[in-house]
Amino acid sequence: MESVVNDNVMNDDNIINSDGDSYEEDSEVKSRKNIVDGDTMTKKKRKSSNSSIRKKMSYVWDHFKEISDSNNEAKSEKDIVECNYCGKCIAYKSSYGTSGMKNHIARCKRFPANLNRKQKLVDFESKTITSPGGTSKIVQVPTCWQFDQDNCRKALARMLIVDELLFVFVEHEGFRYFCKQLCPKFVPPSRKTVTRDCYSIFIEERSKLKDIFSKLSSRVCLTTDTWTSGQNLGYMCLTAHFIDDQWRFHKKIINFCPIPGHSGEIIGKSIEKCLNEWNLRKILTVTVDNASSNDVAIQYLRRRITHWGGSVLDGQFLHMRCAAHILNLVVKDGLKELDLSIARIRGAVRFVRSSPNRLQTFKACMEEENITSKSYVCLDIETRWNSTFLMLETALKFKKAFDNLYTKGGAYCKELRRHFGVPDDDDWRRVEAFLPFLQIFYETTLKVSGSLHVTSNSYVPQIFGVRDLISSYCDHESESIRKMAHQMKVKHDKYWGHVDNLNILLFVALLLDPRHKWGFVKWIVWVSILRLKELNVNRFYY
């Protein structure tokens, strides 16, 4: 039976036709067949390959892991994969690809590449380094800085608090333009927002301070004062002073509030309420001025603190008199002899500072007298004698300029004669003679009224040093100065002339000062015995 071969039969590189003759296949045809055969073989290999190998060809499998079926049975159509960083589970299907996993990696908050994409800048921070030898130097330490809107807002709120700026300052056009030029990324908040930020800082700092008070091993000393504003509203401020466990001195304002009156009972109850809010019980002393209402307030606080169990020796030494206030009273009594002279000089200074034209005229008088001082006269506050001292001290430098202004007459003489008159040579001479005496009081006031360092150890030496100075001026050749010193001595002895008026804790601080020890205390005791016959010496050795 004859058969007809309709297809070509391949035999290596030759092809046999139906006649039995063979010929070599064309190279182009052969290459086309090889490509088709290669694709067919690749598809077969892919179909025969394991599906897990096919899925792990993407880079996302480095950040995910498959979760096996809990029943160990055949997997469902959708597999479950888990993120290696946040643990989130994502449904995966081979026909959908890995797009879901890629999208999750782009927004995963725990993915290392997404933790911090902000650009950092190198900043140099000044730090003080102390060498083992004791020398210190300031070095620039490089740090990494990056923009943070929240930190910038917090720094802005702190600036308003420290510099005592208005909240509306953040809405001023100049400030916003400055912020735009400094850092365009920073968006200045509104005044309401910055008010909330300031209050948040207050809450945060108050919480920190309460935690410090709860762990504080030492006692707290308080200072308080009350006053009336121009709107006839009464206010009270309470400040806490303490030393922490690292022997660092701290001063914290723990209360600033309006009060309905200035009676002793109201002041005492206001302080008690504040102490209850801060949970302060261990109080050593309360420093107040010499108003009679403060004596009633101290008696009330002594009973309450003793009831809490936080007083020392039943609160016998709770009351601490303000040394600066007593010095102010002493000097003001002495200045009564110079009231007219001081009033005349004060009127001259007020005239010069009352308008720019008058100040310019006074400068012309200074040039005529060849006075080249860069400072000018300053007006004092009549209730603060130290400002009066500064006013008199600067006015004496320009005495010749005031005399030149007097010779020109005009409005200067007319206006001063309406009140106390023009200062003459006797007024200038009396003030000049008494000014060195006032300078001792001024320097003493600065020493005992320091708020950033401990002053209790210098309290007694300064006070008794002033007393000896007053006694020496009682024998001055000038009658006016002798009378003035006598008035000061009477006022000084009223508060510090008897040991019962002194707080014995001040002598404890004096003993702890290695510069004094017992020597100064013994000297004070014997001097007090000679001055006051009624002194009980044993009380100093309580």
Side-chain angles (χ1 to χ4, degrees):
M1 181 176 180
E2 185 178 358
S3 61
V4 178
V5 179
N6 295 325
D7 300 326
N8 296 329
V9 180
M10 291 185 299
N11 183 10
D12 293 334
D13 293 336
N14 296 327
I15 298 177
I16 302 174
N17 56 15
S18 57
D19 297 332
D21 299 329
S22 64
Y23 64 93
E24 187 175 358
E25 185 182 21
D26 188 272
S27 60
E28 183 178 353
V29 176
K30 184 172 63 175
S31 62
R32 190 184 304 115
K33 288 183 177 181
N34 290 336
I35 292 174
V36 174
D37 294 341
D39 290 342
T40 304
M41 292 300 296
T42 302
K43 290 180 180 180
K44 291 180 180 179
K45 288 181 180 180
R46 285 183 180 177
K47 290 181 181 179
S48 61
S49 299
N50 194 345
S51 60
S52 62
I53 299 177
R54 180 176 66 253
K55 287 188 289 187
K56 294 184 179 179
M57 291 175 63
S58 176
Y59 74 93
V60 296
W61 288 105
D62 297 333
H63 312 291
F64 287 89
K65 60 182 178 180
E66 290 183 290
I67 300 178
S68 59
D69 194 356
S70 59
N71 297 327
N72 293 328
E73 298 176 355
K75 294 184 179 180
S76 59
E77 295 183 359
K78 291 185 178 181
D79 296 332
I80 303 298
V81 293
E82 181 182 0
C83 178
N84 294 336
Y85 308 104
C86 65
K88 185 176 181 180
C89 296
I90 299 176
Y92 165 74
K93 191 175 181 180
S94 59
S95 59
Y96 295 161
T98 57
S99 299
M101 289 185 283
K102 291 180 180 179
N103 294 336
H104 174 76
I105 286 296
R107 62 176 180 269
C108 181
K109 294 183 178 180
R110 296 187 180 181
F111 184 57
N114 297 336
L115 290 178
N116 195 351
R117 293 184 175 181
K118 297 179 180 179
Q119 184 179 5
K120 293 184 178 180
L121 300 177
V122 178
D123 184 25
F124 291 90
E125 182 180 356
S126 299
K127 289 187 178 181
T128 303
I129 298 179
T130 304
S131 62
T135 59
S136 59
K137 61 179 180 179
I138 300 176
V139 297
Q140 301 294 329
V141 180
T143 58
C144 291
W145 176 88
Q146 65 183 20
F147 173 75
D148 192 311
Q149 176 73 16
D150 295 336
N151 289 339
C152 291
R153 278 179 49 184
K154 185 178 294 186
L156 176 60
R158 289 185 178 274
M159 181 191 73
L160 296 178
I161 296 172
V162 173
D163 296 336
E164 300 178 0
L165 299 175
L166 300 175
F167 293 135
V168 75
F169 175 78
V170 298
E171 295 184 351
H172 290 173
E173 181 180 356
F175 175 75
R176 291 183 174 272
Y177 177 76
F178 171 76
C179 293
K180 187 67 175 178
Q181 298 298 320
L182 185 66
C183 184
K185 295 181 179 180
F186 177 63
V187 180
S190 64
R191 65 178 184 273
K192 294 183 179 180
T193 302
V194 79
T195 302
R196 292 193 296 267
D197 292 342
C198 291
Y199 186 72
S200 299
I201 293 177
F202 164 72
I203 297 298
E204 180 182 353
E205 295 297 329
R206 184 177 64 176
S207 177
K208 292 180 181 179
L209 187 57
K210 282 186 176 181
D211 185 62
I212 292 175
F213 283 152
S214 63
K215 301 177 181 178
L216 190 63
S217 58
S218 62
R219 292 186 175 271
V220 178
C221 296
L222 303 177
T223 58
T224 183
D225 194 13
T226 58
W227 67 94
T228 303
S229 66
Q231 295 81 18
N232 291 326
L233 298 175
Y235 290 92
M236 185 190 72
C237 181
L238 187 64
T239 308
H241 308 265
F242 61 94
I243 298 176
D244 60 12
D245 295 336
Q246 285 74 35
W247 290 92
R248 292 177 298 188
F249 181 72
H250 295 273
K251 170 193 172 185
K252 301 293 183 180
I253 297 177
I254 60 176
N255 193 21
F256 187 93
C257 63
I259 57 176
H262 295 281
S263 65
E265 186 177 358
I266 292 176
I267 295 174
K269 289 183 177 180
S270 299
I271 297 176
E272 179 191 8
K273 180 181 177 181
C274 178
L275 296 180
N276 287 328
E277 292 177 354
W278 289 93
N279 196 23
L280 275 176
R281 294 293 182 266
K282 297 188 296 183
I283 306 300
L284 183 63
T285 60
V286 180
T287 303
V288 292
D289 58 21
N290 294 281
S292 58
S293 59
N294 287 328
D295 295 336
V296 179
I298 292 297
Q299 293 176 4
Y300 177 83
L301 288 175
R302 184 181 290 115
R303 293 193 302 268
R304 299 305 302 160
I305 296 176
T306 303
H307 176 71
W308 295 339
S311 62
V312 176
L313 297 176
D314 296 331
Q316 296 182 33
F317 310 116
L318 182 67
H319 189 186
M320 182 73 68
R321 298 183 182 274
C322 178
H325 186 260
I326 296 177
L327 287 175
N328 185 36
L329 297 178
V330 170
V331 176
K332 288 181 68 175
D333 273 17
L335 291 179
K336 289 180 180 179
E337 292 295 322
L338 292 175
D339 276 350
L340 184 59
S341 299
I342 294 175
R344 288 174 178 175
I345 296 176
R346 184 184 293 116
V349 174
R350 184 180 288 112
F351 174 83
V352 171
R353 303 289 300 187
S354 60
S355 68
N357 292 334
R358 292 177 177 180
L359 184 60
Q360 192 64 31
T361 304
F362 185 73
K363 291 180 180 179
C365 295
M366 291 172 53
E367 294 177 358
E368 293 176 3
E369 299 295 336
N370 296 324
I371 300 176
T372 58
S373 177
K374 295 182 180 180
S375 61
Y376 293 104
V377 290
C378 59
L379 195 60
D380 68 328
I381 302 174
E382 297 184 19
T383 57
R384 300 182 62 183
W385 77 269
N386 49 356
S387 65
T388 302
F389 165 76
L390 295 176
M391 184 266 294
L392 296 175
E393 184 183 34
T394 54
L396 280 173
K397 298 179 182 179
F398 304 101
K399 176 181 176 297
K400 295 182 179 179
F402 281 109
D403 292 340
N404 191 354
L405 191 62
Y406 172 71
T407 58
K408 293 181 179 180
Y412 176 73
C413 298
K414 292 181 180 179
E415 184 170 336
L416 293 185
R417 284 170 182 168
R418 293 176 186 173
H419 302 283
F420 300 99
V422 180
D424 54 15
D425 292 340
D426 291 337
D427 296 327
W428 292 109
R429 193 181 303 111
R430 294 175 65 190
V431 170
E432 186 176 5
F434 191 65
L435 201 62
F437 188 36
L438 286 182
Q439 186 174 3
I440 302 298
F441 284 87
Y442 175 75
E443 294 174 353
T444 303
T445 303
L446 294 181
K447 291 179 180 178
V448 300
S449 61
S451 59
L452 300 179
H453 59 277
V454 178
T455 58
S456 58
N457 59 328
S458 61
Y459 188 104
V460 173
Q462 294 296 331
I463 295 305
F464 279 85
V466 167
R467 211 269 183 189
D468 290 340
L469 178 66
I470 295 174
S471 299
S472 65
Y473 271 80
C474 288
D475 300 328
H476 198 271
E477 58 184 9
S478 175
E479 182 180 358
S480 60
I481 294 181
R482 288 199 305 269
K483 187 181 297 185
M484 190 181 309
H486 178 70
Q487 292 178 352
M488 288 184 174
K489 184 174 180 296
V490 172
K491 180 66 73 171
H492 185 280
D493 291 343
K494 177 183 178 181
Y495 295 103
W496 293 317
H498 197 279
V499 68
D500 290 335
N501 297 329
L502 293 174
N503 195 318
I504 304 303
L505 294 181
L506 293 173
F507 294 93
V508 176
L510 194 63
L511 288 171
L512 296 176
D513 191 336
R515 296 172 296 179
H516 304 296
K517 294 293 185 181
W518 273 106
F520 202 94
V521 176
K522 291 179 180 180
W523 176 81
I524 291 175
V525 171
W526 288 111
V527 169
S528 300
I529 291 176
L530 294 176
R531 292 174 181 170
L532 304 169
K533 301 296 184 180
E534 301 175 355
L535 178 63
N536 183 8
V537 181
N538 293 329
R539 183 172 180 182
F540 283 96
Y541 300 93
Y542 188 86

Short mmCIF file of all heavy atoms in Angstrom, two decimals, residues 9-45:
data_model
loop_
_atom_site.label_atom_id
_atom_site.label_comp_id
_atom_site.label_asym_id
_atom_site.label_seq_id
_atom_site.Cartn_x
_atom_site.Cartn_y
_atom_site.Cartn_z
N VAL A 9 9.81 15.48 7.06
CA VAL A 9 10.37 14.77 8.22
C VAL A 9 11.75 15.34 8.51
O VAL A 9 12.58 15.38 7.61
CB VAL A 9 10.46 13.26 7.95
CG1 VAL A 9 11.03 12.58 9.18
CG2 VAL A 9 9.10 12.72 7.59
N MET A 10 11.97 15.78 9.77
CA MET A 10 13.25 16.40 10.14
C MET A 10 14.22 15.32 10.56
O MET A 10 13.88 14.42 11.32
CB MET A 10 13.05 17.39 11.28
CG MET A 10 12.26 18.65 10.87
SD MET A 10 12.20 19.82 12.19
CE MET A 10 11.37 18.87 13.43
N ASN A 11 15.43 15.47 10.09
CA ASN A 11 16.51 14.56 10.48
C ASN A 11 17.74 15.40 10.67
O ASN A 11 18.44 15.72 9.71
CB ASN A 11 16.73 13.51 9.40
CG ASN A 11 17.79 12.51 9.82
OD1 ASN A 11 18.22 12.48 10.96
ND2 ASN A 11 18.16 11.67 8.86
N ASP A 12 18.03 15.74 11.91
CA ASP A 12 19.12 16.66 12.26
C ASP A 12 18.98 17.94 11.44
O ASP A 12 17.96 18.64 11.52
CB ASP A 12 20.47 16.00 12.02
CG ASP A 12 20.71 14.85 13.01
OD1 ASP A 12 20.10 14.88 14.11
OD2 ASP A 12 21.48 13.96 12.67
N ASP A 13 20.01 18.25 10.61
CA ASP A 13 19.98 19.50 9.84
C ASP A 13 19.46 19.27 8.41
O ASP A 13 19.41 20.20 7.61
CB ASP A 13 21.39 20.09 9.74
CG ASP A 13 21.87 20.56 11.11
OD1 ASP A 13 20.99 20.85 11.97
OD2 ASP A 13 23.08 20.66 11.30
N ASN A 14 19.08 18.03 8.01
CA ASN A 14 18.61 17.74 6.64
C ASN A 14 17.12 17.48 6.66
O ASN A 14 16.56 17.02 7.65
CB ASN A 14 19.33 16.51 6.08
CG ASN A 14 20.84 16.80 5.95
OD1 ASN A 14 21.23 17.93 5.68
ND2 ASN A 14 21.64 15.77 6.14
N ILE A 15 16.48 17.73 5.55
CA ILE A 15 15.06 17.50 5.37
C ILE A 15 14.88 16.56 4.17
O ILE A 15 15.45 16.79 3.11
CB ILE A 15 14.30 18.81 5.11
CG1 ILE A 15 14.45 19.73 6.34
CG2 ILE A 15 12.83 18.55 4.82
CD1 ILE A 15 13.81 21.06 6.16
N ILE A 16 14.08 15.46 4.34
CA ILE A 16 13.85 14.49 3.26
C ILE A 16 12.50 14.77 2.68
O ILE A 16 11.50 14.79 3.40
CB ILE A 16 13.92 13.05 3.80
CG1 ILE A 16 15.29 12.81 4.47
CG2 ILE A 16 13.66 12.04 2.70
CD1 ILE A 16 15.38 11.46 5.15
N ASN A 17 12.46 14.97 1.40
CA ASN A 17 11.18 15.27 0.75
C ASN A 17 10.48 13.96 0.36
O ASN A 17 10.98 12.86 0.63
CB ASN A 17 11.40 16.16 -0.48
CG ASN A 17 12.38 15.54 -1.49
OD1 ASN A 17 12.67 14.34 -1.40
ND2 ASN A 17 12.85 16.34 -2.42
N SER A 18 9.38 14.09 -0.35
CA SER A 18 8.57 12.90 -0.69
C SER A 18 9.24 12.03 -1.74
O SER A 18 8.91 10.88 -1.86
CB SER A 18 7.18 13.36 -1.20
OG SER A 18 7.36 14.24 -2.30
N ASP A 19 10.22 12.62 -2.48
CA ASP A 19 10.92 11.84 -3.51
C ASP A 19 12.09 11.08 -2.94
O ASP A 19 12.74 10.32 -3.66
CB ASP A 19 11.40 12.76 -4.64
CG ASP A 19 10.22 13.42 -5.35
OD1 ASP A 19 9.14 12.79 -5.35
OD2 ASP A 19 10.40 14.55 -5.87
N GLY A 20 12.37 11.29 -1.71
CA GLY A 20 13.49 10.60 -1.07
C GLY A 20 14.76 11.37 -1.12
O GLY A 20 15.77 10.91 -0.58
N ASP A 21 14.78 12.49 -1.79
CA ASP A 21 16.01 13.32 -1.83
C ASP A 21 16.07 14.21 -0.61
O ASP A 21 15.06 14.71 -0.09
CB ASP A 21 16.04 14.17 -3.10
CG ASP A 21 16.04 13.30 -4.37
OD1 ASP A 21 16.59 12.19 -4.26
OD2 ASP A 21 15.48 13.77 -5.37
N SER A 22 17.27 14.44 -0.13
CA SER A 22 17.46 15.30 1.07
C SER A 22 18.16 16.60 0.69
O SER A 22 18.98 16.62 -0.22
CB SER A 22 18.27 14.57 2.13
OG SER A 22 19.58 14.30 1.66
N TYR A 23 17.85 17.66 1.41
CA TYR A 23 18.54 18.96 1.19
C TYR A 23 18.68 19.66 2.55
O TYR A 23 17.98 19.38 3.52
CB TYR A 23 17.78 19.84 0.21
CG TYR A 23 16.41 20.26 0.69
CD1 TYR A 23 16.27 21.47 1.37
CD2 TYR A 23 15.29 19.44 0.48
CE1 TYR A 23 15.02 21.82 1.79
CE2 TYR A 23 14.05 19.81 0.91
CZ TYR A 23 13.90 21.03 1.56
OH TYR A 23 12.67 21.39 1.99
N GLU A 24 19.61 20.61 2.62
CA GLU A 24 19.90 21.32 3.89
C GLU A 24 18.91 22.46 4.10
O GLU A 24 18.60 23.21 3.16
CB GLU A 24 21.33 21.86 3.86
CG GLU A 24 21.75 22.44 5.19
CD GLU A 24 23.21 22.85 5.17
OE1 GLU A 24 23.88 22.63 4.14
OE2 GLU A 24 23.67 23.39 6.18
N GLU A 25 18.43 22.58 5.34
CA GLU A 25 17.43 23.61 5.66
C GLU A 25 18.07 24.98 5.65
O GLU A 25 19.21 25.19 6.03
CB GLU A 25 16.82 23.33 7.04
CG GLU A 25 15.69 24.28 7.38
CD GLU A 25 15.17 23.99 8.77
OE1 GLU A 25 15.91 23.37 9.55
OE2 GLU A 25 14.04 24.41 9.08
N ASP A 26 17.28 25.97 5.25
CA ASP A 26 17.74 27.36 5.21
C ASP A 26 18.01 27.85 6.64
O ASP A 26 17.28 27.52 7.59
CB ASP A 26 16.68 28.23 4.54
CG ASP A 26 17.21 29.64 4.32
OD1 ASP A 26 17.06 30.46 5.25
OD2 ASP A 26 17.80 29.89 3.25
N SER A 27 19.07 28.65 6.85
CA SER A 27 19.46 29.12 8.21
C SER A 27 18.40 30.01 8.85
O SER A 27 18.17 29.97 10.04
CB SER A 27 20.80 29.88 8.11
OG SER A 27 20.65 31.01 7.25
N GLU A 28 17.68 30.84 8.06
CA GLU A 28 16.67 31.73 8.63
C GLU A 28 15.49 30.93 9.18
O GLU A 28 14.96 31.21 10.24
CB GLU A 28 16.18 32.69 7.54
CG GLU A 28 15.16 33.70 8.07
CD GLU A 28 14.75 34.66 6.95
OE1 GLU A 28 15.35 34.60 5.87
OE2 GLU A 28 13.85 35.48 7.20
N VAL A 29 15.11 29.88 8.42
CA VAL A 29 14.01 29.04 8.88
C VAL A 29 14.39 28.31 10.16
O VAL A 29 13.61 28.17 11.11
CB VAL A 29 13.61 28.04 7.77
CG1 VAL A 29 12.54 27.11 8.28
CG2 VAL A 29 13.15 28.80 6.53
N LYS A 30 15.67 27.86 10.20
CA LYS A 30 16.11 27.13 11.38
C LYS A 30 16.13 28.01 12.61
O LYS A 30 15.75 27.59 13.70
CB LYS A 30 17.52 26.55 11.09
CG LYS A 30 18.03 25.69 12.23
CD LYS A 30 19.31 25.00 11.84
CE LYS A 30 20.42 26.01 11.56
NZ LYS A 30 21.71 25.34 11.29
N SER A 31 16.57 29.23 12.49
CA SER A 31 16.63 30.13 13.65
C SER A 31 15.22 30.46 14.14
O SER A 31 14.98 30.56 15.35
CB SER A 31 17.38 31.41 13.29
OG SER A 31 16.69 32.11 12.25
N ARG A 32 14.25 30.63 13.24
CA ARG A 32 12.88 30.92 13.65
C ARG A 32 12.31 29.75 14.44
O ARG A 32 11.61 29.92 15.43
CB ARG A 32 12.02 31.18 12.40
CG ARG A 32 10.64 31.74 12.76
CD ARG A 32 9.79 31.89 11.51
NE ARG A 32 10.44 32.71 10.52
CZ ARG A 32 10.85 32.26 9.33
NH1 ARG A 32 10.65 31.00 9.01
NH2 ARG A 32 11.44 33.05 8.46
N LYS A 33 12.61 28.52 14.00
CA LYS A 33 12.12 27.36 14.72
C LYS A 33 12.74 27.25 16.11
O LYS A 33 12.09 26.87 17.08
CB LYS A 33 12.41 26.09 13.92
CG LYS A 33 11.53 25.96 12.69
CD LYS A 33 11.82 24.65 12.00
CE LYS A 33 10.89 24.45 10.79
NZ LYS A 33 11.15 23.17 10.13
N ASN A 34 14.03 27.60 16.21
CA ASN A 34 14.69 27.52 17.51
C ASN A 34 14.06 28.49 18.51
O ASN A 34 13.91 28.19 19.69
CB ASN A 34 16.18 27.81 17.38
CG ASN A 34 16.91 26.68 16.66
OD1 ASN A 34 16.44 25.54 16.66
ND2 ASN A 34 18.05 27.00 16.04
N ILE A 35 13.68 29.69 18.07
CA ILE A 35 13.06 30.69 18.96
C ILE A 35 11.72 30.18 19.45
O ILE A 35 11.39 30.25 20.63
CB ILE A 35 12.91 32.03 18.22
CG1 ILE A 35 14.28 32.63 17.96
CG2 ILE A 35 12.05 32.99 19.03
CD1 ILE A 35 14.26 33.88 17.12
N VAL A 36 10.92 29.62 18.50
CA VAL A 36 9.62 29.10 18.89
C VAL A 36 9.77 27.94 19.84
O VAL A 36 9.06 27.84 20.86
CB VAL A 36 8.82 28.68 17.63
CG1 VAL A 36 7.53 28.01 18.05
CG2 VAL A 36 8.55 29.89 16.76
N ASP A 37 10.72 27.06 19.55
CA ASP A 37 10.94 25.93 20.44
C ASP A 37 11.42 26.40 21.81
O ASP A 37 11.04 25.84 22.85
CB ASP A 37 11.95 24.96 19.82
CG ASP A 37 11.38 24.33 18.55
OD1 ASP A 37 10.15 24.37 18.42
OD2 ASP A 37 12.18 23.84 17.74
N GLY A 38 12.28 27.46 21.86
CA GLY A 38 12.78 27.97 23.13
C GLY A 38 11.67 28.55 23.99
O GLY A 38 11.60 28.32 25.18
N ASP A 39 10.76 29.33 23.36
CA ASP A 39 9.64 29.89 24.11
C ASP A 39 8.76 28.79 24.67
O ASP A 39 8.25 28.86 25.79
CB ASP A 39 8.83 30.81 23.21
CG ASP A 39 9.60 32.09 22.88
OD1 ASP A 39 10.58 32.38 23.62
OD2 ASP A 39 9.24 32.79 21.92
N THR A 40 8.57 27.76 23.84
CA THR A 40 7.71 26.66 24.29
C THR A 40 8.32 25.96 25.50
O THR A 40 7.63 25.64 26.47
CB THR A 40 7.50 25.66 23.14
OG1 THR A 40 6.95 26.37 22.03
CG2 THR A 40 6.55 24.56 23.57
N MET A 41 9.64 25.76 25.47
CA MET A 41 10.30 25.10 26.57
C MET A 41 10.28 25.97 27.83
O MET A 41 10.11 25.47 28.96
CB MET A 41 11.75 24.77 26.20
CG MET A 41 11.85 23.70 25.11
SD MET A 41 11.08 22.14 25.60
CE MET A 41 12.12 21.72 26.95
N THR A 42 10.43 27.32 27.68
CA THR A 42 10.41 28.22 28.85
C THR A 42 9.05 28.21 29.52
O THR A 42 8.94 28.16 30.75
CB THR A 42 10.76 29.65 28.41
OG1 THR A 42 12.04 29.64 27.80
CG2 THR A 42 10.79 30.59 29.62
N LYS A 43 7.98 28.27 28.73
CA LYS A 43 6.64 28.23 29.30
C LYS A 43 6.41 26.91 30.03
O LYS A 43 5.77 26.89 31.08
CB LYS A 43 5.60 28.41 28.20
CG LYS A 43 5.60 29.81 27.62
CD LYS A 43 4.55 29.95 26.53
CE LYS A 43 4.56 31.36 25.94
NZ LYS A 43 3.56 31.51 24.88
N LYS A 44 6.93 25.81 29.45
CA LYS A 44 6.76 24.54 30.11
C LYS A 44 7.48 24.51 31.45
O LYS A 44 6.96 23.98 32.44
CB LYS A 44 7.28 23.41 29.21
CG LYS A 44 6.42 23.20 27.98
CD LYS A 44 6.97 22.08 27.14
CE LYS A 44 6.12 21.83 25.88
NZ LYS A 44 6.68 20.74 25.06
N LYS A 45 8.71 25.12 31.46
CA LYS A 45 9.46 25.14 32.71
C LYS A 45 8.75 25.99 33.76
O LYS A 45 8.71 25.65 34.92
CB LYS A 45 10.87 25.67 32.47
CG LYS A 45 11.77 24.70 31.71
CD LYS A 45 13.14 25.29 31.52
CE LYS A 45 14.05 24.32 30.76
NZ LYS A 45 15.40 24.88 30.56
#
